[in-house]
Amino acid sequence: MKHPDYDWMLFGCHPISDIAMAYCPCEHATSSTRAFRRLLRLYPKLYAELCKNGYTEHFTILTPLHIAAVIRELGMPCEAFFEKQKRASRETP
C-alpha cells in the first residue's frame, strides 16, 4: 500500500478542512473538521499553543505556526494513523 504524501502541509496556510481530512478522514469535510477540532481539545498542550498563536474555534485557515504545532504534537498524518492503529491493536484482547 502506497502512503499518501503530506508534504504539501509543510508550506503555507491551508484550510482547516484540508488538514482535518488528513488527520481525521471522513466522508464529508465537515465531519472531518468537527472530529479534528475535538481531537485538538484532547491535547491541552497543543490547544494552548494554538490559542497562544491566535487560533479560535472559528478559524477556517491554519497558518504555518498552527500547522507546525499540530505536526510537532501529533506527527504527520500517516504517522498519526499508524500510531492509532497500534494503540487499537494493543487495547483489543
Side-chain angles (χ1 to χ4, degrees), residues 3-11 14 18-19 21-25 67 71 76-79 81:
H3 302 297
D5 182 15
Y6 293 105
D7 289 345
W8 57 267
M9 288 177 51
L10 303 175
F11 305 99
H14 299 286
D18 290 351
I19 303 298
M21 289 291 284
Y23 281 96
C24 304
I67 295 168
I71 292 171
M76 289 298 279
C78 54
E79 295 167 2
F81 175 76

Side-chain angles (χ1 to χ4, degrees), residues 15-40:
I16 194 166
S17 58
D18 290 351
I19 303 298
M21 289 291 284
Y23 281 96
C24 304
C26 293
E27 189 173 338
H28 301 287
T30 53
S31 299
S32 290
T33 303
R34 244 188 331 263
F36 183 68
R37 289 186 194 276
R38 277 193 307 266
L39 177 69
L40 294 178

Side-chain angles (χ1 to χ4, degrees), residues 40-75:
L40 294 178
R41 287 198 169 269
L42 292 176
Y43 293 86
K45 180 180 164 189
L46 169 61
Y47 193 75
E49 186 173 348
L50 290 174
C51 291
K52 182 181 83 173
N53 291 319
Y55 171 82
T56 69
E57 289 288 321
H58 304 289
F59 266 40
T60 57
I61 301 289
L62 293 180
T63 67
L65 280 174
H66 298 135
I67 295 168
V70 169
I71 292 171
R72 268 193 309 274
E73 188 69 28
L74 303 178

